[in-house]
Each structure stands twice: as structure tokens, then as C-alpha cells.
Amino acid sequence: MRTVYREDHEQYRTQARRFIEREVLPHYAQWEDDGIVPKSLWIRAGTEGLLCPMLPEPYGGGGDFGHSAVLLEEFGRANCSSIGFALHSDIVAPYIHNYGTQAQRDAWLPPMVRGELIGAIAMTEPGTGSDLKAVRTTAQREGDEYVINGQKTFITNGQNAGIVIVVAKTDPDAGAKGISLICVEEGTPGFSKGRKLRKIGLHAADTSELFFENARVPVSNRLGEENSGFKYLMHELAQERLVIAVRAAAMIESFLARTIAYTRDRKIFGSSLLTYQNTRFKLAEAKAQFAMLRTFVDDCLARHLQRELTPERAAMAKLNASEMQCRLLDEFLQLHGGYGFMSEYQVGGAWVDARVGRIYGGSSEVMKEIIARTLEADLE
């Protein structure tokens, strides 16, 4: 039995599962073909309290990250991880709540909770990848405005977004100490959305290029203090990495169960595939590895609920979960044989979707570097 969740979390799970079964699964294949989720789904999710659940009153439902984790698990279990609710609710909204002014919170958070305003965060640029210190987008102050110039890419929710948190250099000569976070609203002159990018997986997640050509925004759109953006990013990235780990663990659990059921029913040479030692050993190993991952991720989740999750521990969770997800889903696909390559059984699509987990939120190599920085401290 898992002890990290309370009764109210499990009640929320039931609500989320019913919503997914009713509002998502019947249409998900079409959204994957379209490359975008309709805004009407966001409105329905907002009406049912499934957006930004960890925001306190009066903005949200007064929940905590446990409610967010339940949603992550249910979307992962249903293999609907393309839907960009998590980025909106667990990444963008917390930046605004934690670093925004009262006026910013009052203006942007209520419509985000209702699903009327969809959020995105623009970090990555062509050529920068995980190196946030190297961003080239600039925000030059002119009086009471910032003039933003630059380009962003691989931005989840980019097409649907009504508000984007832009990572920009307000002091280009200061490196990481010259980064600020500035909110840019849809319709701002000089801000445009590029093409909807085609990806090998997560097709329903609209992913875009964003362009800023002398885009003028009020200084009052800045989150927190000028030139403190990198510090804010480093603080919030631990939660983003835990989001990825929680979702990966849920997908492993779901497809382990599906693969056990498939191999039990699939006959080869007159016997169930599950009766063969190779199959049993592969699945036994997967179960043992997953049990250890689940224990560690739940421990990280419990620590985060107490605001005690460290950046290096979050990096460990993301590294282990994303690497294991790719490896085990490949094993599950193999056990499905030719049917694993067919969309009907979903394991092939899940395997492709999982691959980005080793890249976004900081690549596996970056996670190793974060962990490596603590090695000598362990000896003290």
C-alpha cells in the first residue's frame, strides 16, 4: 500500500479518472492526428477543478502537489501524456503564484484555473538546449516597458498559449545573473507564434516556435526582481523534474500490467507466452526495478509535500525514471511482437512518447552533472 496519498487525494483520483474516460479517451486519437488539443477541453477541465489544483484559495481548490501528482498518474496510466495540463498547472502557474505581484496573480491565475487562459514557458532557444545561461533573447528596458527580441523553440502549449513566461536577458553581460522572467500575453505587438512543430511523439502536445521582434511589454509584467530569473528557475526546476518522474513511473506501471495481460493471453507454439521463462524473467525483472523506482519517487513526492526536495534528489528521480521508462517500454514492446508496432496496443506510441523524457526538463547528461556536483560533499 502506498502511504504518500491521503483520502482526499484518492477521491480526486476517482474524479480525474472519470474525466479522462469521459472527455479524453474517446477523442484522444483525433487530437493526436490534429497535433493539438481543443481549447474546449481546457474549459471543461477547469469547470471540474482539474487545472492548477495545488494553488491555494482563493485561486484554486486549496490542494497541494499530491493532487497534481494524482492527475499526472492518471493521465500517464491512460497513456494521454500529450495533454499539456501539467506544464500549465504545475510549472507555469507556480511561477506566477510564487514570484508574481498581487495584481499579476489576480489578473492571470483565475482564468488559468478556469481553463480560459493557457500558459506556457519559453526557455529553450535554437542552439541553447538545456544551457539556460546561454539564452540570447533580450529584454531591454525603455522607461516603463521592456523591448523583447529573440526566438524560442520546442515550446509546449505554444499554439494554445494565452500567456507565456519568457526567459530573457535583461543584462546580457552578466550571464546567469542577468536573466529575468517576463510574462508576454497573446496579441502583444511584435510577439508571434511560428509553425506547429512536427514531432516523433507526444503528437497532441502543440509545440511551437515563438518569435519576438521589438515586442513591448510593461515592466509590471516581470515576475519577481530584475536579473533574478535564473535563481527562480533553479528553484522551480526541482518540481518540473519530479513531474516527469511521477508521470514516467505511472506509465511504466500501466504498461507492465498491460504486458502481463497480453503475454498471459497470447499463445505461441500452443502455450501462453507468459509460461516461457524468458517472458517471466523479463517481466519479473521489470517488476523488481519498478518497485524500487516507485519507492524512491514516492519518497521524493513525500519530501516535496514538505518542501524538502533538493535539486540533486529531483535530478536523481528524473534520471532514473526517464531512463528506466525508455528501457522497460522497449522490453514491453518486444514482448508484444509485431502487435507492439501497431497503434491498437498503444505500447509502441508510449515507447516513442517516452523518449523525450531523457531530454526535456534537462537532459540525462545534465542530471548526471547536477548529481556529480554533490559527490565530494558526500565525503565530508
Side-chain angles (χ1 to χ4, degrees), residues 137-139 146-150 166 182 184 212-217:
T137 297
T138 59
Y146 284 113
V147 181
I148 303 177
N149 284 282
V166 179
I182 302 170
V184 180
F212 304 89
E213 299 180 16
N214 294 320
R216 290 182 173 270
V217 299

Side-chain angles (χ1 to χ4, degrees), residues 69-96:
V70 162
L71 279 176
L72 290 166
E73 290 185 351
E74 288 307 304
F75 276 98
R77 184 190 67 83
N79 194 32
C80 298
S81 296
S82 289
I83 294 176
F85 289 176
L87 182 131
H88 168 92
S89 299
D90 306 325
I91 298 173
V92 178
Y95 275 106
I96 295 173

Side-chain angles (χ1 to χ4, degrees), residues 252-290:
I252 293 171
E253 182 177 36
S254 175
F255 280 95
L256 173 60
R258 297 184 194 204
T259 305
I260 292 170
Y262 175 82
T263 56
R264 179 196 60 203
D265 298 337
R266 176 84 164 102
K267 296 293 192 298
I268 185 168
F269 303 125
S271 299
S272 167
L273 187 57
L274 189 58
T275 63
Y276 290 93
Q277 186 182 73
N278 178 70
T279 304
R280 296 171 68 82
F281 280 11
K282 290 284 188 182
L283 292 174
E285 184 178 20
K287 183 176 180 179
Q289 291 176 353
F290 169 71

Side-chain angles (χ1 to χ4, degrees), residues 215-348:
R216 290 182 173 270
V217 299
V219 170
S220 59
N221 277 27
R222 187 188 68 232
L223 295 179
E225 298 178 1
E226 189 172 78
N227 299 328
S228 294
F230 190 77
K231 177 178 65 176
Y232 302 150
L233 290 167
M234 292 304 100
H235 185 268
E236 297 298 324
L237 277 171
Q239 179 164 296
E240 179 178 351
R241 287 159 183 164
L242 182 57
V243 164
I244 295 168
V246 169
R247 184 161 47 203
M251 290 189 68
I252 293 171
E253 182 177 36
S254 175
F255 280 95
L256 173 60
R258 297 184 194 204
T259 305
I260 292 170
Y262 175 82
T263 56
R264 179 196 60 203
D265 298 337
R266 176 84 164 102
K267 296 293 192 298
I268 185 168
F269 303 125
S271 299
S272 167
L273 187 57
L274 189 58
T275 63
Y276 290 93
Q277 186 182 73
N278 178 70
T279 304
R280 296 171 68 82
F281 280 11
K282 290 284 188 182
L283 292 174
E285 184 178 20
K287 183 176 180 179
Q289 291 176 353
F290 169 71
M292 294 185 69
L293 178 68
R294 167 68 79 204
T295 300
F296 183 70
V297 171
D298 276 2
D299 178 75
C300 289
L301 176 54
R303 290 170 184 258
H304 191 50
L305 288 171
Q306 299 299 319
R307 311 309 298 174
E308 296 174 355
L309 181 65
T310 62
E312 59 269 23
R313 201 168 185 86
M316 292 176 190
K318 181 192 180 297
L319 176 66
N320 285 323
S322 59
E323 294 287 340
M324 186 182 294
Q325 182 184 21
C326 286
R327 184 174 68 255
L328 292 184
L329 284 174
D330 185 73
E331 294 280 10
F332 298 158
L333 193 158
Q334 186 71 17
L335 288 171
H336 278 76
Y339 288 103
F341 212 64
M342 302 295 111
S343 60
E344 177 184 357
Y345 286 87
Q346 298 186 16
V347 66

Side-chain angles (χ1 to χ4, degrees), residues 66 107 141 172 196 211 309 370 378:
R141 185 162 181 170
K196 184 171 61 181
F211 300 96
L309 181 65
I370 292 170
D378 294 339

